[in-house]
Amino acid sequence: MRAGIFWGFCSKTFNGVIVINETYAKILEIAYRLFAEHGFDKTSLSMIAKEVGISKPAIYYHFPSKDVLIDVLFDEIAKEIDFSKSFSIQDYTKDNFEAKLLADGCRMIEDQRQDEYFPRILNEYMIRGSRNEPKYEQRFHAVTEGFASGFEELLTHGAKLGAVPDERITAKAHMLTMVIDNIGNFMMIGFKFNYEDIWQEAVKSVLRSEG
Amino acid sequence: MRAGIFWGFCSKTFNGVIVINETYAKILEIAYRLFAEHGFDKTSLSMIAKEVGISKPAIYYHFPSKDVLIDVLFDEIAKEIDFSKSFSIQDYTKDNFEAKLLADGCRMIEDQRQDEYFPRILNEYMIRGSRNEPKYEQRFHAVTEGFASGFEELLTHGAKLGAVPDERITAKAHMLTMVIDNIGNFMMIGFKFNYEDIWQEAVKSVLRSEG
DNA sequence: GTCTATACCTGGATAGAC
DNA sequence: GTCTATCCAGGTATAGAC
């Protein structure tokens, strides 16, 4: 569960005492869920205020505008997505490579199953980014690029170990990126595919040598 | 270009003469572009009316509501997406299997490159479908399911021909579906990947046998 | 920090003339 | 078939009291 991811951000230290701004965090928390459920446009500040248990104008004390709220939320979310959190390259050896790549992917799939809001809100930001809002486009690029280059690094590492055939590493890395990324989307729209099987297929395919 | 895809729908025959309802078609045409560019919510009927060159209430003569307009548009678009239009199974032989699968996918990628609006608006409908609007969810499922089962049929056919190893056909078909589907998304957000290479990698991987 | 009240705008949709 | 005029709901955001 990602239920408490916003608490860290809003804590500050006064005279050595950690003070947590509860309302600020709660707004982000509720907004996260409502934005994911209904989208940015169809989620009004009234809805957020209502669920937080405050009045609409009270939100404006914490955030100067709805756009800024959306913006701050993205910064928090983007921190959560990191290739190295799911795949730690240094733990991969020649012997465990296939099994570990499979297991790490499956764990990521399971994480996505646990939090249905995550791919939804990510998609909202993706759309925003793609509609000439360079601010989000850039950051979104960075996130996905992190996975693409992460897989490339991992496969290069695997090639050095002799666990991965040293051919077309970039294309293979990008294929893995597209598969793991789309699993979230397909879950979102409710497809009951066997995602672990699909991931296994993808993993095997990059480890098989040209035939 | 898909510039004329709405003309067929709105033509009717009177006394043997084909009459085309120009405004009706023009509204769909403009709406298609604006919805893709700005999303359903941020595209108002005023914007559409302005670009069509009529007043806002005039739209209501042709469509009872904005929702119905969105609805009708989907019916038109859904007709365009069909696995068999991109991959015609009967033309696949043992000898041409790999080359043809590669070529058909590349043609589809090229089509997507030509019409940037298509993946955008498709994404809009996907979101709609995933937000408890069972109407769209069902139809969207049908579209994607068509590709999944299409690839499965194609690979089964390939296995009979001896061009594809007869293992894990379903997982392989689903992997191809997810790769080809996500290429549109990645193009949408502006990634300059070498999609033909990625597709080639996916194709090769399903044709390689275990080991 | 949070409230009530309110300003201001823009959305979808309708009435009725032409 | 298309218009002008209008309605009303709901949005973001602000003023000012507490």
Side-chain angles (χ1 to χ4, degrees), chain B residues 116-191:
Chain B
E116 58 166 335
Y117 298 123
F118 201 65
R120 286 193 134 84
I121 202 160
L122 223 57
N123 202 35
E124 283 292 313
Y125 282 107
M126 188 191 76
I127 294 277
R128 275 220 150 194
S130 74
R131 295 211 217 281
N132 30 329
E133 298 212 35
K135 190 172 54 183
Y136 292 107
E137 192 165 18
Q138 244 178 322
R139 294 191 226 170
F140 205 87
H141 253 75
V143 166
T144 312
E145 185 51 43
F147 267 79
S149 57
F151 276 125
E152 190 157 359
E153 205 181 321
L154 180 58
L155 292 182
T156 305
H157 175 66
K160 270 185 206 139
L161 294 173
V164 179
D166 196 2
E167 307 151 337
R168 304 160 50 77
I169 295 284
T170 303
K172 286 175 175 178
H174 289 179
M175 196 187 78
L176 290 181
T177 306
M178 301 188 90
V179 169
I180 202 89
D181 176 80
N182 220 3
I183 286 177
N185 297 332
F186 271 60
M187 277 182 186
M188 192 175 75
I189 57 177
F191 270 101

Side-chain angles (χ1 to χ4, degrees), chain B residues 36-98:
Chain B
E37 276 177 357
H38 311 111
F40 293 136
D41 294 330
K42 285 249 185 313
T43 304
S44 67
L45 294 182
S46 321
M47 290 165 68
I48 296 172
K50 198 176 179 181
E51 292 223 17
V52 172
I54 56 176
S55 70
K56 187 166 64 165
I59 294 179
Y60 283 91
Y61 175 80
H62 299 279
F63 301 93
S65 73
K66 188 184 180 182
D67 275 341
V68 170
L69 169 56
I70 291 173
D71 214 29
V72 170
L73 193 55
F74 185 75
D75 287 335
E76 290 306 298
I77 289 170
K79 283 184 206 160
E80 282 287 295
I81 322 162
D82 186 18
F83 179 80
S84 62
K85 278 189 184 173
S86 303
F87 302 86
S88 56
I89 297 185
Q90 66 271 18
D91 298 338
Y92 280 72
T93 65
K94 181 175 167 55
D95 287 338
N96 77 4
F97 201 93
E98 179 168 353

Side-chain angles (χ1 to χ4, degrees), chain A residues 161-200:
Chain A
L161 294 173
V164 179
D166 197 2
E167 308 150 339
R168 302 160 51 78
I169 295 284
T170 303
K172 285 176 175 178
H174 289 179
M175 195 185 78
L176 290 181
T177 307
M178 301 187 89
V179 170
I180 201 89
D181 175 80
N182 220 3
I183 286 176
N185 297 332
F186 272 60
M187 278 181 184
M188 192 175 74
I189 56 175
F191 270 101
K192 301 295 180 203
F193 284 176
N194 187 328
Y195 298 108
E196 281 79 1
D197 262 19
I198 295 170
W199 178 245
Q200 189 183 10

Side-chain angles (χ1 to χ4, degrees), chain A residues 47-132:
Chain A
M47 291 165 68
I48 296 172
K50 198 176 180 181
E51 293 222 18
V52 171
I54 57 175
S55 71
K56 189 166 59 168
I59 295 179
Y60 283 91
Y61 173 79
H62 299 279
F63 301 93
S65 72
K66 188 183 179 182
D67 275 340
V68 171
L69 169 55
I70 291 173
D71 214 29
V72 170
L73 193 55
F74 185 75
D75 287 335
E76 290 306 298
I77 289 170
K79 282 183 205 158
E80 281 288 295
I81 323 164
D82 185 18
F83 180 80
S84 62
K85 278 189 184 173
S86 305
F87 302 85
S88 56
I89 296 183
Q90 67 271 19
D91 298 339
Y92 280 71
T93 65
K94 180 174 166 59
D95 288 338
N96 76 4
F97 201 92
E98 178 168 354
K100 192 152 176 51
L101 185 52
L102 185 63
D104 284 349
C106 287
R107 194 159 32 76
M108 208 177 147
I109 291 168
E110 193 51 37
D111 282 350
Q112 299 223 359
R113 251 196 276 272
Q114 297 304 317
D115 186 357
E116 56 166 336
Y117 299 122
F118 200 66
R120 286 194 134 81
I121 201 159
L122 222 58
N123 201 36
E124 283 291 314
Y125 283 106
M126 187 191 76
I127 294 278
R128 274 220 152 195
S130 74
R131 296 213 216 281
N132 29 330

